[in-house]
Amino acid sequence: VTETVVDNENRGIQFFSEKIYQPIQTLHPFIVHGCQGSLNYLREAGYATFPELFDERYDSIKEENKRANFIINEINKVAKLDRSKLNDIIYSEYMVDKLKHNQNLIQSQPSRNGYYKLMNWLEKIYYNYDI
């Protein structure tokens, strides 16, 4: 997931858009190209992350270019995994439990992070409903 804000000009304020909530809602593991500390922020909010797939040290890298290169290398490592090994990780009971935990957490939040409002609005436009 490449978030809207990936630099450190935000002075420690984390900004998440619908981009991070889509994989959470659809039960997909993710790696976040966002501001330094994005994963830590998500973990503090109760979300599970995926060190089984990605070396999450990238989250502490301050320099944007170094963080981006680290993330690219992690994605390339996962892309090169043998399909059966990747399936063993993705479909493990442990991973499925983490994915469901994240989905349940987003669904239980009162504001639902605006995700559902956005998705309903997009659905109305897509199906040409009256807004």
Side-chain angles (χ1 to χ4, degrees):
V1 174
T2 301
E3 260 307 342
T4 303
V5 179
V6 299
D7 60 24
N8 293 323
E9 298 301 317
N10 63 353
R11 293 178 170 59
I13 298 170
Q14 293 295 332
F15 174 81
F16 293 103
S17 67
E18 81 289 350
K19 295 175 190 95
I20 191 62
Y21 299 110
Q22 286 176 332
I24 292 171
Q25 179 60 31
T26 56
L27 301 169
H28 288 96
F30 55 84
I31 187 169
V32 182
H33 181 215
C35 296
Q36 178 187 15
S38 293
L39 279 185
N40 190 51
Y41 181 87
L42 288 169
R43 284 192 291 268
E44 286 177 358
Y47 291 98
T49 59
F50 304 96
E52 308 83 353
L53 290 172
F54 308 109
D55 180 344
E56 295 184 342
R57 290 180 295 168
Y58 72 87
D59 193 48
S60 63
I61 300 172
K62 184 174 183 171
E63 298 83 9
E64 294 92 1
N65 290 339
K66 289 181 181 179
R67 189 168 57 252
N69 287 331
F70 197 103
I71 290 168
I72 290 166
N73 288 334
E74 288 306 301
I75 292 168
N76 285 333
K77 279 193 236 177
V78 170
K80 291 176 184 174
L81 283 176
D82 176 72
R83 174 75 64 177
S84 63
K85 180 171 176 62
L86 183 59
N87 284 341
D88 287 345
I89 296 168
I90 297 292
Y91 296 109
S92 69
E93 184 177 339
Y94 177 72
M95 181 67 79
V96 170
D97 287 345
K98 286 173 76 167
L99 294 168
K100 287 181 179 178
H101 163 81
N102 284 350
Q103 185 185 56
N104 289 336
L105 185 59
I106 195 173
Q107 290 176 352
S108 70
Q109 294 175 350
S111 69
R112 305 218 173 142
N113 298 307
Y115 176 79
Y116 288 105
K117 289 180 184 176
L118 174 64
M119 294 310 292
N120 288 334
W121 181 77
L122 290 172
E123 184 178 80
K124 287 177 183 177
I125 288 174
Y126 180 77
Y127 291 110
N128 205 16
Y129 297 141
D130 290 31
I131 295 181

